[in-house]
Amino acid sequence: MSVSDDYLAYILEQLADLGEVRSQRMFGGAGLYCAEIFFGLVSEDTLYLRVDAQTRVEFTSRGMRPFRPYADRPELSMTYY
């Protein structure tokens, strides 16, 4: 997992209207927080947003794929698209 400084700055700029949005570096990528709510992550210069059973359909219908943290274990995914 990695993320460039420029891409992360761009994402934070785009999300600024949400209010108190910040990032925290983790495992080479970055977690995204609004106030104290963890809502997204950035890995390999790709933004992933947290989904639930209801919102997942919106993401999959647009061809978006889940975040898979382990390339050698594609069956493992998280609730981020």
Side-chain angles (χ1 to χ4, degrees):
M1 234 174 50
S2 68
V3 58
S4 69
D5 291 337
D6 288 342
Y7 186 74
L8 185 56
Y10 170 76
I11 292 299
L12 293 173
E13 179 183 314
Q14 296 301 304
L15 298 173
D17 286 345
L18 295 176
E20 186 186 330
V21 176
R22 65 181 173 82
S23 65
Q24 182 172 327
R25 295 286 184 157
M26 54 174 51
F27 309 109
L32 299 176
Y33 297 82
C34 186
E36 294 304 313
I37 298 171
F38 184 73
F39 72 93
L41 55 91
V42 182
S43 174
E44 302 298 328
D45 286 352
T46 301
L47 171 64
Y48 295 91
L49 299 173
R50 187 177 189 125
V51 301
D52 60 20
Q54 192 172 15
T55 58
R56 181 178 290 114
V57 174
E58 294 295 323
F59 287 77
T60 57
S61 70
R62 289 173 170 79
M64 295 177 181
R65 303 181 146 253
F67 172 65
R68 298 196 190 281
Y70 309 106
D72 60 335
R73 301 194 56 200
E75 72 279 5
L76 296 178
S77 66
M78 300 175 72
T79 57
Y80 296 87
Y81 275 70

